[in-house]
Amino acid sequence: MADNTITVVGNLTRDPELRFTQTGRARALLGIAVNRRWMNRQTNELEEQVSFFNVVCWAEMAENVSESLAKGNRVVITGRLEQRSWETQDGEQRNTVEIVADEIAPSLRWATAEITRIPRGPGGDAGGSRERRPASSGWDSGDAPAQHAPEEEPF
């Protein structure tokens, strides 16, 4: 079986966009720019290429990402590549490849971060006691209320 794991490090190109499905499941969409630099041996000049990726994350991670990250933040994302196809209203076929995130973390190469642990809810899921606001139709944007762990809780 082939492994489809990808890790990218780059800067967010926009604030995470948090929406909820009709059933109340959180989904965050974000964009990341990944820069690659190298020395051109023929010209002795530094060259650069930028690749842009769309990233999607679900459930509690989506809520945490939307509360914690903003445009310009440097992040490390691990996930898998997925291709989606759809047909437009005009009958045109469209395809996209996006990263479905398994983990997202701030890069600490040029920044610091403060970690706030979210207590586990019933059933062992992280943040399981958070309020859900299902959409009346389609996507409904909004932020879930923040919850913070007691200071004495160990990591």
Side-chain angles (χ1 to χ4, degrees):
M1 175 187 266
D3 188 18
N4 182 17
T5 301
I6 183 172
T7 299
V8 294
V9 179
N11 292 26
L12 294 183
T13 60
R14 60 186 183 268
D15 287 341
E17 179 184 336
L18 179 66
R19 294 183 176 183
F20 292 87
T21 65
Q22 291 179 355
T23 60
R25 189 169 184 218
R27 177 182 187 230
L29 301 173
L30 46 144
I32 184 171
V34 178
N35 295 20
R36 185 173 75 92
R37 293 183 179 153
W38 68 93
M39 180 62 72
N40 184 325
R41 293 182 184 176
Q42 294 176 340
T43 63
N44 282 336
E45 292 184 17
L46 190 62
E47 294 189 15
E48 181 176 28
Q49 177 186 8
V50 182
S51 298
F52 296 93
F53 298 96
N54 289 318
V55 180
V56 61
C57 56
W58 293 92
E60 287 79 16
M61 181 171 39
E63 295 180 61
N64 295 341
V65 163
S66 72
E67 292 174 15
S68 304
L69 299 175
K71 178 181 178 178
N73 289 151
R74 187 169 178 83
V75 294
V76 179
I77 298 175
T78 301
R80 65 188 183 280
L81 293 175
E82 281 193 3
Q83 178 184 5
R84 290 187 300 117
S85 301
W86 70 95
E87 188 173 312
T88 67
Q89 292 179 347
D90 299 332
E92 296 179 25
Q93 285 292 329
R94 302 288 176 149
N95 295 297
T96 188
V97 176
E98 60 193 4
I99 299 171
V100 178
D102 293 323
E103 296 285 342
I104 299 178
S107 170
L108 302 180
R109 187 170 187 178
W110 296 298
T112 61
E114 182 177 322
I115 306 300
T116 304
R117 186 169 179 159
I118 298 173
R120 292 193 175 270
D125 61 330
S129 60
R130 288 186 177 189
E131 171 187 325
R132 299 284 189 263
R133 290 182 277 161
S136 56
S137 65
W139 294 103
D140 181 25
S141 63
D143 296 5
Q147 269 189 339
H148 300 286
E151 290 183 17
E152 65 273 4
E153 184 174 325
F155 285 91

